[in-house]
Amino acid sequence: LISGKTALGATPADTDELLISDAGTLKRVDYSYLKAANTPSFYAYKSSNQSISHNTDTKITFDTEIFDSDGTFASSRFTPAVIGKYVIGYQLHSASQTDYGYASIYKNGTRVELNVEYTGSDVDLTYHATQILSLDADDYVEIYWKQTKGSSADIQGRSDGDQSFFYGYKIIGA
């Protein structure tokens, strides 16, 4: 009921009940059914460099988690455990890339996003991508990179996590 005498001073608990009108019939509903949650969610980064061989699709390892709301990020792979639509994104930084680089999002072992860059000279390059993916509970998402430098090249990592990272969060249910 709406009253001028009290105001809600904090987010309701999941078991707090609200009244709603369903075609004129008042019904009680727990707050947990109405609240929006962007979970599961995660953010991980590389804390050190990873050497990538010439012309080889290689899974990028993200060894440091900033957060993992539901324990769904492990072994550099996100497996949501909840059906829904997810924002999945990454940034990869490569130093001294001198030809083509191919950064990709893979879903269940298949490329679903490709970011191709050509430098033509010996410069640093940063790859960015964000995709919205429909994921089932047992789907998994990983980040890969391939380069055609002719020798090994590194994906850069740093202890502050600002060079190469991987993140995702649920935006809506199935």
Side-chain angles (χ1 to χ4, degrees), residues 2 5 16 18 23 27 29 35 45 49 65 77 80 87 89 91 93 113-114 116-117 122 139-140 149 156 162:
I2 305 298
K5 295 181 181 178
D16 285 351
L18 305 171
K27 295 182 178 180
V29 63
K35 72 177 182 177
Y45 68 89
N49 295 354
E65 291 181 19
R77 171 186 285 187
V87 170
Q91 173 178 296
H93 182 81
E113 180 276 335
L114 176 62
V116 180
E117 298 287 344
D122 197 15
D139 286 338
Y140 62 92
K149 182 178 180 178
Q156 303 296 119
D162 73 347

Side-chain angles (χ1 to χ4, degrees), residues 84-164:
K85 297 204 183 326
Y86 289 81
V87 170
I88 301 293
Y90 66 85
Q91 173 178 296
L92 299 179
H93 182 81
S94 175
S96 303
Q97 176 60 26
T98 60
D99 201 5
Y100 285 96
Y102 305 83
S104 301
I105 298 173
Y106 275 62
K107 175 182 170 184
N108 300 330
T110 302
R111 179 182 289 128
V112 295
E113 180 276 335
L114 176 62
N115 182 351
V116 180
E117 298 287 344
Y118 176 75
T119 62
S121 61
D122 197 15
V123 299
D124 287 8
L125 189 58
T126 302
Y127 303 79
H128 303 269
T130 304
Q131 292 285 307
I132 296 176
L133 298 177
S134 292
L135 299 176
D136 289 334
D138 59 351
D139 286 338
Y140 62 92
V141 181
E142 300 166 311
I143 305 302
Y144 278 73
W145 191 59
K146 178 173 86 171
Q147 56 84 19
T148 60
K149 182 178 180 178
S151 60
S152 293
D154 286 346
I155 288 295
Q156 303 296 119
R158 225 165 66 180
S159 62
D160 61 8
D162 73 347
Q163 288 195 328
S164 298

Side-chain angles (χ1 to χ4, degrees), residues 30-98:
D30 281 355
Y31 175 69
S32 64
Y33 290 110
L34 302 175
K35 72 177 182 177
N38 294 101
T39 59
S41 60
F42 73 95
Y43 183 97
Y45 68 89
K46 291 193 70 47
S47 65
S48 60
N49 295 354
Q50 180 179 349
S51 181
I52 308 295
S53 298
H54 168 71
N55 209 29
T56 304
D57 280 309
T58 303
K59 179 179 165 180
I60 303 303
T61 56
F62 298 92
D63 57 352
T64 304
E65 291 181 19
I66 300 295
F67 64 87
D68 181 4
S69 69
D70 295 54
T72 53
F73 183 81
S75 301
S76 301
R77 171 186 285 187
F78 173 58
T79 306
V82 177
I83 296 171
K85 297 204 183 326
Y86 289 81
V87 170
I88 301 293
Y90 66 85
Q91 173 178 296
L92 299 179
H93 182 81
S94 175
S96 303
Q97 176 60 26
T98 60

